[in-house]
Amino acid sequence: MAVRNTKAAQELIQKWQVDSEGLSIPLNVEVMQVDLLSLDSVTRFAEAWNARSAPLHVLINNAGIFSIGEPQKFSKDGYEQHLQVNHLAPALLSILLLPSLIRGSPSRIVNVNSIMHHVGFVDTEDMNVTSGKRKFSSLVGYSSSKLAEIMFSSILNKRLPAESGISVLCVSPGIVQTNVARDLPKLVQAAYHLIPYFIFSAQEGARSALFAATDPQVPEYCDMLKADEWPVCAFISQDCRPANPSEEAHNVQTSYEVWEKTLEMIGLPSDAVERLLDGEEVKSHYRQEQ
């Protein structure tokens, strides 16, 4: 588990160990710290993982924020927080971990997305939503970051040759009652949890991600979309079925613009994927030397 709060993760693992007593499969979970609001932290985590020279079979980019009703906030890297946590940091992590994913091939990158991407719009000239062309709201920040993630994933899927054995997918967990609203005022959090539309528990909401990570037919499905030059990567719905993301997600030109802009924002060269596939070392310029 790569998490921001390692203490909370350890407490959760202890609870799991109690809950799993009597099962034949032993629980073996390690915790490593990573802060998605710091691209330096993401880079350091990837370096530490790759240094093990161990295979990585599945990367699930699960973390996300949706700061409902909150004012616009920026990371120390200078990026709007929804954009960084929901899109930029997972994009950087996915690319930097390619050496380990290649060792684990056939392997998968699973991005936990949202049906909210349907109302998103990405302006690559105004990724931070600061130009004044659009009024910022938490909904704008969240939905746009989720659409950007699908667009970036679609191009990553195209850039990875079939022989790499790496499948890239986005999944919708449905509407899930989790602590995604943890940073909101207590009164707003209470209202958030009362909304009857939040129909899935966290366990139920994990189904589509687990399906994408483990179902044996997923790589074949991803390869089929790639061979057909489908404009978007595989998208799995909350009921674990292939689905189509929004019409805007199919915009190939914008997707390539998002790809190029994202690589620039996360400090990677435009040919990072190709160089990593060739076994070269690639570093983000956000890696700060001590």
Side-chain angles (χ1 to χ4, degrees):
M1 294 170 65
V3 299
R4 180 176 56 113
N5 186 336
T6 54
K7 182 173 180 289
Q10 296 288 4
E11 291 170 356
L12 187 59
I13 290 168
Q14 288 176 358
K15 178 181 181 299
W16 287 344
Q17 286 171 332
V18 171
D19 293 345
S20 65
E21 280 178 5
L23 297 178
S24 58
I25 303 172
L27 195 62
N28 180 17
V29 185
E30 180 186 353
V31 173
M32 292 177 69
Q33 204 274 337
V34 63
D35 180 4
L36 299 187
L37 280 170
S38 165
L39 296 179
D40 176 58
S41 173
V42 173
T43 303
R44 289 176 183 279
F45 171 84
E47 283 182 3
W49 182 271
N50 287 333
R52 299 177 175 202
S53 298
L56 176 58
H57 301 104
V58 183
L59 169 64
I60 303 178
N61 288 310
N62 180 71
I65 58 169
F66 186 7
S67 301
I68 303 171
E70 289 284 284
Q72 191 171 20
K73 295 178 184 174
F74 298 89
S75 72
K76 66 180 183 182
D77 299 312
Y79 299 131
E80 193 276 317
Q81 288 193 357
H82 292 92
L83 179 70
Q84 176 145 339
V85 172
N86 301 344
H87 169 52
L88 296 177
L92 178 60
L93 187 61
S94 298
I95 292 181
L96 291 182
L97 287 178
L98 282 177
S100 295
L101 287 159
I102 291 166
R103 279 192 289 269
S105 177
S107 52
R108 311 179 190 191
I109 298 171
V110 179
N111 293 313
V112 179
N113 201 263
S114 169
I115 56 171
M116 299 294 283
H117 82 270
H118 280 272
V119 296
F121 176 79
V122 182
D123 180 354
T124 54
E125 297 302 313
D126 187 28
M127 296 287 273
N128 270 339
V129 195
T130 52
S131 70
K133 287 190 285 185
R134 286 185 295 166
K135 187 176 187 301
F136 179 83
S137 69
S138 52
L139 177 60
V140 166
Y142 180 78
S143 61
S144 300
S145 69
K146 290 299 184 181
L147 176 59
E149 180 176 59
I150 297 176
M151 290 177 154
F152 183 87
S153 300
S154 296
I155 305 304
L156 176 58
N157 187 55
K158 294 178 190 296
R159 299 293 280 262
L160 291 169
E163 55 268 24
S164 72
I166 303 172
S167 303
V168 182
L169 307 88
C170 289
V171 304
S172 169
I175 305 297
V176 186
Q177 185 170 345
T178 69
N179 71 338
V180 73
R182 60 182 170 264
D183 297 324
L184 303 183
K186 291 288 184 284
L187 185 63
V188 180
Q189 286 191 40
Y192 177 92
H193 290 306
L194 288 173
I195 300 172
Y197 193 44
F198 289 82
I199 52 173
F200 282 173
S201 68
Q203 288 86 346
E204 292 168 330
R207 289 181 301 197
S208 57
L210 290 172
F211 174 85
T214 60
D215 187 84
Q217 291 182 303
V218 161
E220 183 183 345
Y221 175 58
C222 291
D223 287 345
M224 181 185 72
L225 294 181
K226 187 178 294 190
D228 287 348
E229 297 188 2
W230 193 246
V232 289
C233 65
F235 190 90
I236 304 297
S237 70
Q238 61 205 48
D239 52 2
C240 301
R241 291 193 171 99
N244 231 348
S246 68
E247 183 179 347
E248 182 62 20
H250 288 69
N251 187 323
V252 176
Q253 180 180 340
T254 304
S255 295
Y256 273 107
E257 291 172 1
V258 168
W259 169 264
E260 291 166 6
K261 187 66 175 179
T262 299
L263 290 178
E264 177 189 324
M265 294 175 80
I266 59 179
L268 290 177
S270 58
D271 60 349
V273 169
E274 290 75 19
R275 286 168 57 182
L276 287 165
L277 289 172
D278 287 340
E280 291 184 40
E281 185 179 0
V282 174
K283 285 193 174 185
S284 165
H285 68 58
Y286 280 97
R287 175 66 164 90
Q288 297 168 6
E289 301 300 333
Q290 292 297 320

